[in-house]
Amino acid sequence: MLRKLFVALVAIQVSTFIFGQDVAVVSPPTASSTATDNTGTDKKPFLTITGSADVYYRYDFAKTKANNFTSFTNSQNAFQLGMASVKFEHKSDKVGFVADLGFGQRAKEFAYTDEGITQAIKQLYVTYSPTNWLKFTAGSWATHVGYELLDPQFNRNYSMSYMFTNGPFSHTGLKADLTKGKHGVMVGISNATDYRTPPDGLINRKFFLAQYSLAVTDNVKIYLNYVGGKSPDSSKTSQFDAVITSKFSDKFSVGYNGTINSIKSWDGSKNVDGKDWWGSAVYLNLDPTSWFGLTLRGEYFSDKNQLKTFAMAAEGGNIFATTLSANFKIDGLILIPEFRFENASKDIYVDKNGGATGKAGNFLLAAIYSF
């Protein structure tokens, strides 16, 4: 009997996947079907499969890719592949696993500390929930820091912010999530930021992770984030981050992200006084209809100590970047035409004649399909 039931479930799963359902899932039974089920056992989803694929075209108004200082869009006047992604998930009452894989330049930049086939691993972790208010996660997962995400279908701008580019990407270790009512707390310990495997020949210290979340109302949520520790090069890093989301109506919402990262470099005998970079961004989202939306992102990024974008400049500075993106939605497809303009306090960009300038702009068109 059990063998026949298993064969039947697999047959349903395969036929669902072949005939083009959005997600290859065997749905759990309804209350009425459970009442007439002679086996007396709950049916769980066999496997959930989701994924996405994205491509884009980018044109810099100065006809150079030298003006790009953020992740995933370093190209000029060329059609580019973003990432093909597939995510496998299974969860029972208490345990589960996620294997999230990506292939392409986007995934390669995300897993920049890995080499070869392991760069295709975006996330890989197992979970255990002894109660409904506590969950343990072990493995590698995307960072809790910041507003923007790796998977492009979850962002309304296609190009990335300076805070995303310079902030942490992933953590590998162990964390615990606790929830009670409107409050949530996460604490964890991990390898150094973005390292799945600690590098040989350098120090191997662990980082501390934390997050406090509060659902002020159903439409207003606050996340306070932290990550800090001693890096393989012996420098010490502490990053504090805040994310606020607010939905005023079905047509208008606002997001905010602010972050500051302090780095105490190693002078050969001790960690010297800390230097920092910081950023702040506002996201204004307007959705006149279900198939069309606009997002305006305004970001201020300060690197006065030449730790990031201004590392190769004569002195530090700041950047104000404005990005306007439209979202056209057709079933699982999102088309994003986007204009981006940047103004820097120093001449870090290149103009169309090859000279130094403090301004840059580009147009981008992206297509993202997700299921």
Side-chain angles (χ1 to χ4, degrees):
M1 178 63 183
L2 291 176
R3 180 177 296 179
K4 292 180 179 178
L5 178 59
F6 177 78
V7 171
L9 287 174
V10 173
I12 294 173
Q13 174 68 16
V14 172
S15 62
T16 301
F17 182 78
I18 291 175
F19 288 102
Q21 296 297 318
D22 285 346
V23 179
V25 179
V26 176
S27 300
T30 62
S32 59
S33 65
T34 303
T36 59
D37 189 353
N38 294 328
T39 64
T41 58
D42 293 334
K43 296 181 178 66
K44 301 297 180 184
F46 179 68
L47 188 66
T48 301
I49 304 175
T50 56
S52 65
D54 63 284
V55 297
Y56 75 95
Y57 170 85
R58 180 179 181 274
Y59 184 83
D60 185 271
F61 298 147
K63 301 180 181 181
T64 175
K65 66 179 181 179
N67 289 335
N68 180 73
F69 297 108
T70 59
S71 299
F72 310 145
T73 53
N74 190 35
S75 63
Q76 157 57 16
N77 192 25
F79 294 97
Q80 296 285 315
L81 304 179
M83 177 175 66
S85 181
V86 60
K87 185 177 182 180
F88 303 91
E89 297 179 81
H90 184 272
K91 187 179 185 300
S92 67
D93 290 337
K94 294 184 179 296
V95 299
F97 93 97
V98 168
D100 189 4
L101 307 178
F103 304 88
Q105 188 62 32
R106 198 177 184 98
K108 185 177 179 181
E109 289 185 37
F110 179 78
Y112 67 93
T113 64
D114 288 309
E115 296 180 358
I117 191 62
T118 57
Q119 287 187 319
I121 299 175
K122 294 158 54 187
Q123 302 184 100
L124 180 61
Y125 58 84
V126 295
T127 62
Y128 170 56
S129 303
T131 70
N132 60 4
W133 54 267
L134 176 63
K135 181 175 73 173
F136 294 99
T137 301
S140 184
W141 59 86
T143 186
H144 57 291
V145 173
Y147 181 89
E148 299 177 10
L149 302 172
L150 167 65
D151 295 285
Q153 70 270 25
F154 299 128
N155 301 320
R156 295 174 60 110
N157 302 110
Y158 186 81
S159 66
M160 310 304 292
S161 68
Y162 280 92
M163 285 184 288
F164 176 92
T165 299
N166 295 291
F169 284 175
S170 67
H171 308 286
T172 300
L174 174 67
K175 66 175 179 174
D177 289 274
L178 301 89
T179 57
K180 183 175 178 58
K182 297 181 178 181
H183 304 271
V185 174
M186 182 277 289
V187 292
I189 186 170
S190 73
N191 295 337
T193 293
D194 297 343
Y195 282 95
R196 270 75 177 270
T197 301
D200 294 333
L202 300 177
I203 67 168
N204 178 13
R205 300 288 180 84
K206 297 299 178 277
F207 272 47
F208 176 70
L209 317 174
Q211 180 184 74
Y212 169 71
S213 61
L214 172 64
V216 181
T217 67
D218 290 341
N219 295 325
V220 179
K221 296 178 174 59
I222 299 173
Y223 305 86
L224 303 177
N225 310 307
Y226 175 79
V227 57
K230 197 164 189 176
S231 301
D233 63 1
S234 296
S235 64
K236 289 184 177 180
T237 297
S238 291
Q239 184 167 352
F240 295 88
D241 180 89
V243 173
I244 302 173
T245 62
S246 180
K247 183 179 180 181
F248 293 92
S249 69
D250 290 338
K251 297 183 182 298
F252 182 66
S253 63
V254 175
Y256 170 79
N257 183 205
T259 198
I260 181 168
N261 184 304
S262 176
I263 300 175
K264 296 182 178 181
S265 59
W266 181 256
D267 70 358
S269 60
K270 65 181 185 302
N271 290 102
V272 299
D273 292 341
K275 297 181 178 180
D276 61 66
W277 61 265
W278 63 275
S280 187
V282 175
Y283 303 77
L284 304 178
N285 308 309
L286 178 65
D287 295 288
T289 69
S290 61
W291 57 267
F292 174 70
L294 289 169
T295 291
L296 179 66
R297 176 181 63 199
E299 180 187 20
Y300 182 87
F301 181 76
S302 175
D303 186 26
K304 62 182 180 181
N305 293 309
Q306 298 176 272
L307 298 172
K308 296 296 180 178
T309 306
F310 289 82
M312 303 304 294
E315 54 185 358
N318 57 70
I319 296 171
F320 184 76
T322 303
T323 307
L324 178 63
S325 305
N327 283 228
F328 296 91
K329 301 176 183 179
I330 308 169
D331 295 328
L333 178 66
I334 305 175
L335 298 176
I336 304 180
E338 176 178 294
F339 287 94
R340 178 169 179 150
F341 298 95
E342 300 189 15
N343 287 276
S345 60
K346 307 296 179 183
D347 292 340
I348 61 172
Y349 308 111
V350 178
D351 63 25
K352 60 183 179 181
N353 298 316
T357 180
K359 297 181 180 181
N362 66 77
F363 170 77
L364 181 150
L365 177 62
I368 307 162
Y369 181 78
S370 61
F371 63 91

